[in-house]
Amino acid sequence: MYCVRSVTDDLLWIGGNDRQSSLFESAHPVPNGMSFNSYLLLDEKTVLFDTVDRKAQGQFFENLEYGLQERALDYVFVHHVEPDHAAILQDLLLRHPEATVVCSQRALDMLAQFHGKAPEKSLVVKDQDTLSTGRHQFTFYSATMIHWPEVIVSYDSTDQVLFSADAFGSFGALNGVLFSDEVDFERDWMDECRRYYTNIVSKYGVHVTNLLKKMDSLEVRLLCPLHGLVWRKDLDVLVSRYRTWAGYEPEVRGVLIPFASVYGNTETAANILACRLAEKGIPVSMYDVSITHPSYVLSECFKYSHVVFSSPTYNNGIFVTMENLFHDLLAHSFQNRTVALIQNGSWGPNSGKVMTELLEQMKNIRILRPTITLKSSLASGQEKELKALADLLAEDLRS
Ligand code: FEO
């Protein structure tokens, strides 16, 4: 049974959802599920915009056959060959051998890597190449490293639609809704959209900025990503957030305190610091990095202007779950922030030094001093050090 939604008079959403997998890409928790978007254009020529993950293929193929109404499939635009969008391309081409795959040269090469051979009928497109499907006129743009090197996006100048591949996507299944104006986006989707961006796309902010510059020269009325909601109103809500994220700029002037704490003593210091900050009216948030998955904490690190990393010393380094977070921060080009450190160590406090060395590998990270050092637990009088750190952070936030 088909389950489709109309995007425009001749464009259908024919994708699917996965609510059974607990992880996306075997890495990121998706408690709200995941959508895999595919679109079908019924012009003089028919065009399929990407396929879906294997987990959604049953619904997808029923949707496709319903949408085509026994017409031939003329083109398949493969914007991105990652298997959540292209693993079933061979199955599709067995059903529709008449279809021509439209993609970048690099995508064609990678399809051969994944599937053992390249599609028999293909049309390689380069940046700014064009294609007419009848009423609709398409221009292709290279979108390298959003999120793989072969990625292209396509722009339909007739209806002013941008098919944006992974860009502007989100974690979360589509529960009947399709358009961002059908939900309370800020309340229900923004956090997962940010978490998707930071974990999937953020490493290459410069490439995202390049795509945003290209978009500035286009009239985009509809934004159709490969995951999450379609945008037909107030596109700037998300586009402006992308400008912030791509520039590694914070959204909130406030303090995030990711902490690790084996026996609660480092957590106590973090709690006291949070109290002193909250008393000053400063936005403050805390995460136990042993409890909260790093994908969430990474996303919060992108959100806040100031971060106080708090960790015990462990095997003469930093605590293992804090180490995971630092690995993610490095891997996703975290930069452009002000940080402070709280370290703990019963006989050889060293986590502050190791965190500093890792932070020095990141771009434009300013470390406020001094680092607060606990020896097993807060000593009498150390509340004053935490108060002083809160004062320093407050002053820095005001500057
Ligand atoms: Fe949704 Fe990079 O694949």
Side-chain angles (χ1 to χ4, degrees):
M1 181 58 68
Y2 65 88
C3 179
V4 305
R5 284 207 54 183
S6 292
V7 181
T8 65
D9 288 347
D10 56 4
L11 183 67
L12 287 173
W13 175 90
I14 62 163
N17 295 288
D18 173 26
R19 298 181 184 84
Q20 294 195 324
S21 304
S22 55
L23 297 174
F24 176 65
E25 292 185 354
S26 300
H28 312 294
V30 279
N32 303 329
M34 195 72 200
S35 80
F36 301 95
N37 295 342
S38 173
Y39 307 89
L40 180 66
L41 179 69
L42 301 165
D43 198 3
E44 288 172 28
K45 302 285 186 184
T46 58
V47 183
L48 175 67
F49 301 87
D50 300 286
T51 61
V52 298
D53 192 276
R54 281 208 180 279
K55 298 178 191 91
Q57 66 177 324
Q59 185 67 72
F60 163 77
F61 279 122
E62 292 202 40
N63 289 347
L64 176 64
E65 299 315 325
Y66 164 76
L68 282 173
Q69 297 285 324
E70 300 188 356
R71 288 183 64 183
L73 179 59
D74 295 299
Y75 293 114
V76 188
F77 289 7
V78 176
H79 294 102
H80 183 17
V81 304
E82 192 166 9
D84 56 328
H85 308 293
I88 62 167
L89 186 65
Q90 278 193 313
D91 301 335
L92 173 84
L93 295 176
L94 284 174
R95 292 168 184 244
H96 289 282
E98 74 279 12
T100 296
V101 170
V102 180
C103 63
S104 68
Q105 180 62 56
R106 192 122 191 215
L108 201 61
D109 296 342
M110 291 171 84
L111 285 171
Q113 288 173 200
F114 272 110
H115 301 147
K117 61 175 185 175
E120 283 177 15
K121 294 176 71 176
S122 61
L123 173 65
V124 168
V125 291
K126 300 186 300 298
D127 191 55
Q128 301 194 43
D129 279 358
T130 58
L131 177 69
S132 172
T133 59
R135 190 175 77 83
H136 293 262
Q137 312 297 323
F138 287 92
T139 305
F140 301 94
Y141 295 97
S142 169
T144 295
M145 299 320 297
I146 312 172
H147 121 247
W148 280 14
E150 85 297 356
V151 172
I152 55 170
V153 298
S154 58
Y155 176 65
D156 170 8
S157 57
T158 307
D159 280 353
Q160 300 171 325
V161 185
L162 183 69
F163 296 90
S164 62
D166 274 347
F168 305 107
S170 178
F171 295 133
L174 298 170
N175 300 324
V177 297
L178 177 62
F179 298 100
S180 62
D181 54 276
E182 296 175 313
V183 302
D184 186 331
F185 183 79
E186 193 69 39
R187 186 190 68 192
D188 297 333
W189 281 79
M190 183 56 93
D191 285 345
E192 286 295 80
C193 195
R194 181 189 305 102
R195 189 167 68 91
Y196 171 89
Y197 175 87
T198 52
N199 285 274
I200 307 298
V201 185
S202 69
K203 184 173 180 63
Y204 299 104
V206 65
H207 294 283
V208 178
T209 299
N210 288 341
L211 176 61
L212 292 167
K213 281 183 188 158
K214 279 178 192 168
M215 285 176 66
D216 286 341
S217 64
L218 305 172
E219 287 292 325
V220 179
R221 191 176 62 82
L222 266 167
L223 200 48
C224 293
L226 288 176
H227 303 284
L229 299 160
V230 170
W231 289 76
R232 63 184 173 186
K233 287 184 186 169
D234 303 322
L235 275 62
D236 199 50
V237 168
L238 185 56
V239 172
S240 65
R241 221 53 88 95
Y242 258 62
R243 288 190 207 287
T244 301
W245 297 336
Y248 302 96
E249 297 295 333
E251 289 168 74
V252 174
R253 287 198 60 78
V255 180
L256 176 73
I257 311 175
F259 67 91
S261 192
V262 186
Y263 297 109
N265 294 305
T266 310
E267 181 176 5
T268 298
N271 276 328
I272 293 170
L273 176 64
C275 287
R276 298 295 84 80
L277 291 165
E279 284 166 357
K280 292 171 179 293
I282 293 169
V284 60
S285 186
M286 302 177 66
Y287 288 92
D288 184 332
V289 297
S290 298
I291 301 300
T292 304
H293 190 277
S295 68
Y296 291 89
V297 188
L298 178 77
S299 180
E300 292 292 285
C301 287
F302 269 69
K303 183 175 171 184
Y304 280 84
S305 60
H306 291 60
V307 185
V308 180
F309 296 101
S310 311
S311 175
T313 301
Y314 197 73
N315 293 328
N316 204 32
I318 54 180
F319 192 66
V320 58
T321 49
M322 185 64 80
E323 199 166 31
N324 288 345
L325 175 62
F326 269 83
H327 179 270
D328 265 0
L329 290 166
L330 271 166
H332 292 88
S333 303
F334 179 71
Q335 56 187 268
N336 211 23
R337 292 293 188 279
T338 301
V339 308
L341 302 172
I342 298 174
Q343 65 171 347
N344 195 347
S346 291
W347 61 93
N350 197 40
S351 50
K353 177 170 173 281
V354 176
M355 287 192 285
T356 298
E357 288 167 356
L358 291 166
L359 289 163
E360 284 172 352
Q361 295 175 44
M362 303 174 200
K363 198 171 157 189
N364 195 23
I365 299 289
R366 195 162 56 95
I367 306 177
L368 298 179
R369 299 295 187 189
T371 292
I372 292 181
T373 299
L374 280 65
K375 286 202 162 178
S376 303
S377 64
L378 278 171
S380 174
Q382 277 199 294
E383 297 92 338
K384 286 183 189 156
E385 291 178 32
L386 292 164
K387 169 76 166 52
L389 178 56
D391 290 343
L392 185 62
L393 286 161
E395 190 184 322
D396 201 76
L397 280 160
R398 276 196 296 269
S399 64

